[in-house]
Each structure stands twice: as C-alpha cells, then as structure tokens.
Amino acid sequence: MALPAAAISFLFSVAPAFADLKLCNRMSYVVEAAIGIDDKAATATRGWFRIDPDACRVVAQGTLAADRILLNARALGVYGSSPIPQNGGDTLCVAPDNFVIAAARQCRAGQTPAPFTQIAPTRTDDGHLVAYLAEDSEYDDEQARLAGIQRLLVIAGYDAAPIDGVDGPKTQAALTGFLKSRGLSADVVQSQNFFTTMIDAVQSPSSTGLTWCNDTPHKIMAAVATDDGKAVTSRGWYRIDPGKCLHPDVIGQPRQIFSFAEAVDGENRTVKLRDKPLNWGGTTQLCTRESKFEINEQGDCGNRGLVAIGFVAVDMNSGGKTLRFAMP
C-alpha cells in the first residue's frame, strides 16, 4: 500500500499561549513531534513526543511565554520515509533522540536542521491549549485509531486495505489473524499499549512475506519492488534502525519481489567500507530517487531524472523470507 499524501492541519484561534499545550493525533500514523518556542531573540526546541492515533499528549506544562509556537512532526520509521510533509518557514535544530536545545537556530555536533511550522493552538473549555495533527482524510478520533491499526496490519503482512478508518469483515479478519499469530486476546485491542504491540510485531521476523532485519550498527534505508506480471513498481525508502526488523507493505501476491538496502550515517550519507558503499542489492536495474518514491515505469531512469540501482530478486517460494543485513 503506497503511503498517501498526508498533511498537518491545525485547529487554531488567536488565544495567547498561557497554559498547558497539548498535541492530539488524528492521523493514521504513530508520530513523533518536536516543538519550538520562539520568545523574542531566543528560540528553543524540545522533542521527541510520541503520540499514537486517537491520543493526546501534553508537550508543555504551565505558563508558556512565547511569541510563537512551532512544530515539526514525523512518522515512525516503520512506515518508511515519513509521509508527513514539512513546509514550515523556520529551520531549527533537532537531535536523533529525546532532546532539549536551548539555542536552536545554530546547530552543534549531533544536531541537524529541520523545518518547523508555526501553529496557533485553540483554547479548550478547561483553559488549556490544543493543536490537532490531521490528514487530508479528516478522520475523527475513532476513525484515526482504526486507520492506524489497518495501516500497521498491512505492514505486518495482513490484508486490511483499503486504509480508510472504516470497520468491516476484511479488517476484522486481518485483525483476528494478527492476534492469533501473536497469541493475543481480543481485549488487547482496546489497551493503551496496543500500538506498541503492533509496532513490535512489525519490527520482528515473520514467517510470511518479506522481512528485512538490520544486524549492523548503522541505520539502513531500503527499497522494495514488485512485479505483478504487468508492471514492475519500485518503492522506498524504508528506515530500519539497528537491531530492528521491518516488513515492507507488499499487497497481494506479486510474481516476483526485489530488494535493495543501503547503510547510512547520521546525516543520511552512504556508509563506505574500504571506499565501497555498504549496501545489499543485485543485478536487476530499477529506478529510484533520493527522496520518498513510488515508480511504476522502469525504463530510461537517467533521462527521467531518476537513479537506476541494482536490486536483488528475493525467493519467496516458501511463503516468507527474512533478509538479514550484517557487516561483511
């Protein structure tokens, strides 16, 4: 299932920021958010706050003296390249893990610049402030939770498409199959930790479908391609953190599956060993691009502004295949 174009939208008012600030997630993705506080000449950032679909989180407590409040949001790596566009006019510093940066306009070692969007949260009846992260689909809370479950079921190898936040026999059959395979009861679906359970499942080896496992100390970016007999479609990039596994979202039963993976450093530059890129591919040349992509035509890559990369064919005759990426 290709990642849909998603947008961040905010319900807002002109109320000043003098209370707890809360972010609520009405997207079908588990997201991580960072906030920026711009107060006269000083700008600070803080993150990352994980927020599940149909959940809210307080990201700033007490009186918040700020001229402007800014936000950067990203989807977890299990979804591949983040589908959340960032088009803000402010570039502030963030760090890979939980962070607080007091002077966020001049990045130091271990920090990277990221685009932030100014937001104007709305004041709720209890006097606090809230901003909503939403997709073009405009899910309500219940629909966002179900769409989030559907999306992770698809990535875990179960046919819960389309991802629309609408319950039905297909979604229930996929959910039942997932619970049975993990030895879980139906009650766990309503637990606060269910998305964590699903993400853990996506990041562990599976007996069905294609699984990538990263046994290196580096972050790996991977791409998958499928041949359905009519066209070959390549899609990427999927982020696989060290020590984690990932199932690319392959729908149906394609005739052939292809894979490419490459290790990158903290600034997304290719890792090299003895002057050679550390990657895992093959001889089948397919089209890619540097940013997130889904490409249905594979001919003449260079003249179309694309990059041809060698993919390896994956033998799926046994019903499942785990590719483990390790240091040579």
Side-chain angles (χ1 to χ4, degrees), residues 202 205 210-225 235 237-248 257-264 271 273 277-282 310-314 316 321-328:
V202 170
L210 174 62
T211 305
W212 289 310
C213 289
N214 181 0
D215 295 333
T216 80
H218 306 288
K219 178 174 66 175
I220 286 178
M221 303 303 290
V224 66
R235 186 167 62 252
W237 295 96
Y238 298 83
R239 187 181 84 209
I240 314 168
D241 293 325
K244 300 293 186 181
C245 296
L246 179 67
H247 309 285
I257 294 178
F258 303 88
S259 170
F260 174 82
E262 184 172 66
V264 298
V271 173
L273 293 179
L278 180 58
N279 59 33
W280 299 264
F311 283 63
V312 64
V314 181
M316 302 293 295
K321 181 69 174 183
T322 296
L323 299 180
R324 305 199 76 96
F325 307 126
M327 300 298 292

Side-chain angles (χ1 to χ4, degrees), residues 150-163:
Q150 290 172 326
R151 189 172 299 284
L152 287 170
L153 284 171
V154 169
I155 296 175
Y158 296 87
D159 188 2
I163 298 167

Side-chain angles (χ1 to χ4, degrees), residues 158-171:
Y158 296 87
D159 188 2
I163 298 167
D164 55 8
V166 178
D167 200 2
K170 195 174 181 182
T171 296

Side-chain angles (χ1 to χ4, degrees), residues 36-44 64-70 105:
I37 304 300
D38 195 2
D39 184 21
K40 298 181 176 62
T43 303
L64 184 62
D67 296 324
R68 298 191 306 152
I69 302 173
L70 306 121
R105 293 196 180 274

Side-chain angles (χ1 to χ4, degrees), residues 2-317:
L3 294 175
I8 303 175
S9 66
F10 304 98
L11 301 181
F12 63 90
S13 72
V14 295
F18 294 123
D20 288 357
L21 172 63
K22 181 167 60 176
L23 297 180
C24 294
N25 183 6
R26 287 181 176 171
M27 304 184 74
S28 58
Y29 302 89
V30 178
V31 303
E32 293 175 322
I35 60 169
I37 304 300
D38 195 2
D39 184 21
K40 298 181 176 62
T43 303
T45 56
R46 180 183 177 189
W48 295 95
F49 302 95
R50 172 177 154 162
I51 314 173
D52 293 344
D54 182 27
C56 298
R57 183 164 180 182
V58 173
V59 296
Q61 292 183 316
T63 301
L64 184 62
D67 296 324
R68 298 191 306 152
I69 302 173
L70 306 121
L71 177 75
N72 175 284
R74 66 186 187 185
L76 294 188
V78 297
Y79 301 107
S81 180
S82 180
I84 306 174
Q86 301 291 341
N87 53 8
D90 289 80
T91 299
L92 306 177
C93 303
V94 299
D97 301 315
N98 293 339
F99 66 90
V100 176
I101 301 174
R105 293 196 180 274
Q106 298 293 329
C107 298
R108 297 169 177 79
Q111 302 172 3
T112 56
F116 277 68
T117 302
Q118 182 177 347
I119 63 173
T122 188
R123 188 176 295 279
T124 59
D125 292 340
D126 59 7
H128 297 299
L129 300 171
V130 62
Y132 293 88
L133 286 72
E135 291 180 60
D136 291 341
S137 303
E138 296 185 349
Y139 299 123
D140 61 23
D141 291 335
E142 184 177 349
Q143 291 168 337
R145 179 177 174 81
L146 182 56
I149 292 172
Q150 290 172 326
R151 189 172 299 284
L152 287 170
L153 284 171
V154 169
I155 296 175
Y158 296 87
D159 188 2
I163 298 167
D164 55 8
V166 178
D167 200 2
K170 195 174 181 182
T171 296
Q172 287 301 315
L175 183 56
T176 299
F178 168 80
L179 295 174
K180 183 178 180 180
S181 71
R182 298 287 160 174
L184 300 171
S185 67
D187 296 341
V188 73
V189 178
Q190 301 304 322
S191 70
Q192 292 184 343
N193 296 325
F194 186 55
F195 279 101
T196 298
T197 299
M198 296 198 75
I199 289 168
D200 288 345
V202 170
Q203 294 181 322
S204 60
S206 172
S207 60
T208 61
L210 174 62
T211 305
W212 289 310
C213 289
N214 181 0
D215 295 333
T216 80
H218 306 288
K219 178 174 66 175
I220 286 178
M221 303 303 290
V224 66
T226 55
D227 182 354
D228 63 3
K230 298 179 181 179
V232 177
T233 301
S234 56
R235 186 167 62 252
W237 295 96
Y238 298 83
R239 187 181 84 209
I240 314 168
D241 293 325
K244 300 293 186 181
C245 296
L246 179 67
H247 309 285
D249 44 347
V250 175
I251 299 297
Q253 296 180 333
R255 293 185 177 182
Q256 183 67 67
I257 294 178
F258 303 88
S259 170
F260 174 82
E262 184 172 66
V264 298
D265 63 17
E267 298 181 2
N268 290 324
R269 297 173 300 191
T270 301
V271 173
K272 293 186 177 182
L273 293 179
R274 295 180 290 276
D275 295 327
K276 292 184 178 180
L278 180 58
N279 59 33
W280 299 264
T283 59
T284 302
Q285 296 291 310
L286 300 176
C287 298
T288 68
R289 64 166 53 95
E290 185 176 346
S291 57
K292 180 170 69 77
F293 67 90
E294 180 172 349
I295 302 170
N296 299 314
E297 296 182 6
Q298 298 302 324
D300 201 18
C301 302
N303 288 333
R304 293 192 289 137
L306 305 172
V307 179
I309 288 179
F311 283 63
V312 64
V314 181
D315 182 4
M316 302 293 295
N317 289 329

